[in-house]
Amino acid sequence: KKWEINFLQQLTTQVTIAIQQSELHSQIKKANEQLKQLAILDGLTGVANRRYFDRVFRNEWNRLAREKKPLSLILCDIDHFKIYNDTYGHPEGDACLKKVAQTLQQATKRADKRASSVFMHSQGSRLVFCCRIQNSKWSTREALKPGARDGVS
């Protein structure tokens, strides 16, 4: 029965195409997720980049201004980083900066679990943390206090 064979061959072709399209769709979805991450993360430190920080900061500033609530901005600069970089070389300096940035980011996540907070690598040895203050008992000092120094030696 030739028509049955032709039908099954066409069906097989269509199923094969559907499977390939599904696999391609999955690959494109994964690539888009990676691109989204690349668009918001600093390539060196793995924390937020300036573009993403500016967007979160602007949104938080406007929202908290409407709510008449405070916004905390913490600026960090690693002391004597140029000397460290010159002494041990740029690859070691990069590794140091990455370790400090990731440790501070983890410490700020423990202190402030809200998604609206953002930690950013600004430039050189400068790092910035932006968050809203939850209540009057919580201060900017508390944002980095728990464990901030534990992971950096």
Side-chain angles (χ1 to χ4, degrees), residues 66-143:
R66 283 190 308 273
E67 296 175 7
K68 297 186 183 337
K69 292 186 177 176
L71 177 70
S72 181
L73 188 64
I74 300 171
L75 306 173
C76 305
D77 195 6
I78 301 171
D79 290 340
H80 312 292
F81 185 71
K82 183 178 179 350
I83 296 169
Y84 183 91
N85 226 7
D86 291 344
T87 303
Y88 298 105
H90 289 282
E92 285 299 316
D94 290 351
C96 173
L97 185 60
K98 183 175 183 175
K99 177 74 173 172
V100 170
Q102 290 177 349
T103 300
L104 290 175
Q105 182 177 43
Q106 290 303 312
T108 56
K109 281 183 182 179
R110 284 192 300 272
D112 180 39
K113 297 182 182 1
R114 294 174 298 278
S116 58
S117 297
V118 63
F119 192 80
M120 169 193 89
H121 174 222
S122 177
Q123 65 181 29
S125 62
R126 292 186 190 107
L127 305 158
V128 181
F129 176 60
C130 167
C131 63
R132 58 189 154 130
I133 298 175
Q134 190 168 340
N135 58 50
S136 60
K137 293 178 185 173
W138 195 80
S139 70
T140 56
R141 284 180 50 213
E142 298 302 313

